[in-house]
DNA sequence: AGCGTAGACGTAACCGCTTACAGCAACCGC
DNA sequence: GCGGTTGCTGTAAGCGGTTACGTCTACGCT
């Protein structure tokens, strides 16, 4: 122990943490000892007394979804700046596992948890915050007033996407929706409806197909759409769906964008490299993540967070998958 | 504290951990108290004495790379079964950050760390294992004998990919390599060479372009290839590169696979939904992750791990991006 | 009756830190 | 010369668990 090479454990603690005053000479001696032994304070002992583990958790269904993955760097950046690390917990959309994890995380004394896409009843989540576990929700919201939320303005994004298609002359615009029952899906349908209504374009029920935010979902939904009266453009609820949509279109012998235009939502890194490159709605994932993390850190530090809802701006990115109606 | 509702803390501890004998009646009383208070033992206090944090870490450059993300579920599955959680640490390929994290993880007393794609000198890593930090490497290897490694047989995979192209009649087969200087890139080049040599096909130096395992890298490399004497087929070092490759091909007015066939490596989930769907080499990511995690857990538990190198089998998945030479 | 033993629990030390609190110089002003 | 600061450091009490050890009761055996 560094104390052998120096003085008392209390002084070492103070020196290393920069709390209290230490004589220059003692400081140097301690530094030397630390250097020599390669001493690193045991953080778990530290956590036991300080009540802070310098650890936050990210709880979401599946990190293989590129959008979720895109959130990580923003979290990491903020967390690292605060000296914290991040536990990643994936739930596969299983509410039991969500609860199990939340309970485990509390036992582990994490400083807080970031949640995305949970399916657990909001009141169960509220129970945890009531017990003192800081939670903030990002991206996909839960129906709760007890948890701050930061996400993109989904309704606006969907509206912008649809308006883009309208401005290209399209009138037969389909929507491949997200997973049913989620508020985020409903918001995007809402934006789509808003845009159509504003342009006085009839909104055909047969033109909104239900997907699941996955390639498979988009693929299936688009095949169904093509089997009916094919649209000239489609707004997919996210980029992954859009991939499936384009796959189905190509398979049917049609071309994107010559025969059918498609616009996605998310602006994943790979959207720039699909064939053709995907026109989509950009979500500021990095900032969403940063903002949410900062909020969580504030909460954990006992600071009050002013507003509950943080909406960020979506942005249209035009690439090669949309074209004017022939 | 549950002890109020029951007996002594020692007994509670024994009851909850199932160590030692406890009378049925006491057990019931404790259960009741636990239930009533919603008591959950503080794991950090526990860790302080048991020396086990039930936490492992995953250290890699960037979780936004879908292949890395695909590893997570296999890790999660094994870790959860062992009651452990996983810290995710992303380094952006920065060696200083790698070292900083490793050092932090040691201070945090994690039970072990899984590393992938590190660029830190192997001897620095060896220092950590020497100090008692269990480390196992998966996917991308480091040049060290002190760390167990589990990965797919890269050379064989590359060979299979190239043979597939050869069997379709192609002779002008290019390779868009991975990031230069990495052993994994070299292995895949090696497999490509092996296949060409076995078929007595000339290997033109101008037909291997350097990429970087990213869409951008593949795109750039393919543009360079097209600017020279275009191949009739290309083997991309991974699926992400293949995306970029297909992008560049489409942009040049050529078609996949009619004009140029392309095969990737990884078999990302999205490979089935590119346009056209990508023929690729399947990597058993889930099993690689599982195996590596199990190894790490074994190491952490003080069990000896028999062999250092674990090679898993790649597999060709034929989809729509390859066709017989016209 | 006496002793050994097994079962069920309590006592207390300890894990490696942080942090009151107190002690002790040296230094200040008057 | 003396009380009051100020600067620096040590002592010790935890933080919330685990666990070696000891104790006590009840029981079995001779």
């Amino acid at each position: 122990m560094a104390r052998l090479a120096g003085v008392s454990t209390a002084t070492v603690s103070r020196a290393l943490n920069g709390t209290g005053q230490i004589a220059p000479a003692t400081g140097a001696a301690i530094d030397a000892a630390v250097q020599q032994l390669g001493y690193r304070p045991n953080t778990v002992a530290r956590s036991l007394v300080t009540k802070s583990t310098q650890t936050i958790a990210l709880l979401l269904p599946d990190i293989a979804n590129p959008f979720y993955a895109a959130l990580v760097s923003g979290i990491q950046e903020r967390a690292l700046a605060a000296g914290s690390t991040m536990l990643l917990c994936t739930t596969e959309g299983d509410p039991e596992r969500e609860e199990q994890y939340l309970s485990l995380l509390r036992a582990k004394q994490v400083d807080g948890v970031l949640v995305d896409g949970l399916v657990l009843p909001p009141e169960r989540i509220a129970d945890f915050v009531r017990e003192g576990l800081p939670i903030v929700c990002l991206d996909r919201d839960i129906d709760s007033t007890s948890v701050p939320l930061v996400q993109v303005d989904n309704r606006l994004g969907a509206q912008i996407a649809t308006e883009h298609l309208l401005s290209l002359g399209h009138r037969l615009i389909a929507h491949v929706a997200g997973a049913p029952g989620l508020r985020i899906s409903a918001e995007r349908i809402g934006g789509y409806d808003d845009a159509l209504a504003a342009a006085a374009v009839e909104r055909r029920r047969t033109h909104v197909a239900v997907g699941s935010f996955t390639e498979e979902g988009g693929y299936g939904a688009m095949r169904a759409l093509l089997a009916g009266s094919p649209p000239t453009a489609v707004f997919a609820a996210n980029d992954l769906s859009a991939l499936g949509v384009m796959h189905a279109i190509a398979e049917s012998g049609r071309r994107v964008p010559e025969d059918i235009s498609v616009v996605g939502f998310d602006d994943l890194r790979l959207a720039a490299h699909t064939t053709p490159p995907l026109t989509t709605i950009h979500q500021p994932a990095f900032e969403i993540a940063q903002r949410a993390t900062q909020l969580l850190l504030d909460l954990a530090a006992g600071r009050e967070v002013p507003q509950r809802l943080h909406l960020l701006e979506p942005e249209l990115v035009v690439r090669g998958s949309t074209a004017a109606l022939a």
Side-chain angles (χ1 to χ4, degrees), chain A residues 54-89:
Chain A
Q54 300 288 92
T55 301
I56 62 175
L58 174 61
L59 188 59
L60 44 70
D62 173 23
I63 194 70
N65 178 324
F67 183 74
Y68 290 145
L71 295 170
V72 171
S73 80
I75 298 173
Q76 219 60 291
E77 192 246 25
R78 265 295 191 283
L80 204 54
S84 290
T85 49
M86 187 199 83
L87 282 168
L88 177 61
C89 307

Side-chain angles (χ1 to χ4, degrees), chain A residues 88-305:
Chain A
L88 177 61
C89 307
T90 58
T91 64
E92 314 282 349
D94 176 1
E96 285 189 34
R97 194 143 150 205
E98 291 175 7
E99 188 150 7
Q100 178 188 349
Y101 259 131
L102 245 13
S103 182
L104 178 57
L105 291 172
R106 183 160 55 93
K108 285 206 166 218
Q109 315 287 117
V110 299
D111 295 341
V113 13
L114 250 21
V115 305
D116 189 353
L118 294 204
V119 298
L120 199 64
E123 57 271 20
R124 292 295 306 116
I125 296 179
D127 286 348
F128 284 97
V129 334
R130 201 172 309 115
E131 284 171 10
L133 182 65
I135 295 182
V136 356
C137 182
L138 72 173
D139 184 32
R140 298 199 192 171
D141 40 339
I142 54 180
D143 204 350
S144 166
T145 57
S146 60
V147 171
L149 167 66
V150 16
Q151 66 179 178
V152 76
D153 189 332
N154 285 297
R155 192 172 191 113
L156 178 58
Q159 186 183 334
I160 293 173
T162 311
E163 281 168 357
H164 169 61
L165 261 12
L166 287 164
S167 77
L168 289 172
H170 294 281
R171 289 301 173 267
L172 297 174
I173 302 176
H175 176 44
V176 168
L182 298 186
R183 187 206 287 259
I184 190 181
S185 304
E187 285 292 320
R188 293 184 189 177
I189 292 176
Y192 162 79
D193 284 344
D194 288 352
L196 291 188
V201 168
E202 180 199 6
R203 193 268 220 195
R204 310 195 183 181
R205 285 207 46 182
T206 55
H207 269 171
V208 2
V210 5
S212 58
F213 287 126
T214 63
E215 299 96 325
E216 281 305 333
Y219 177 74
M222 192 65 210
R223 280 174 58 113
L225 249 21
L226 290 172
S229 63
T232 66
V234 13
F235 161 46
N238 70 347
D239 286 358
L240 250 28
S241 303
L243 270 186
V245 164
M246 293 202 291
H247 179 194
I249 293 174
E251 198 178 72
S252 78
R254 278 167 261 240
R255 287 162 309 159
V256 176
E258 292 82 351
D259 300 317
I260 303 182
S261 285
V262 1
V263 17
F265 199 116
D266 279 353
D267 194 21
L268 300 180
R269 206 170 71 181
L270 63 89
H273 291 280
T274 53
T275 311
L278 187 65
T279 293
T280 190
I281 299 296
H282 176 78
Q283 272 205 70
F286 189 82
E287 290 157 40
I288 290 177
Q290 265 192 159
R291 191 93 147 240
T293 308
Q294 190 59 54
L295 243 45
L296 186 67
L297 258 15
D298 287 349
L299 233 42
R303 290 188 282 274
E304 281 304 313
V305 316

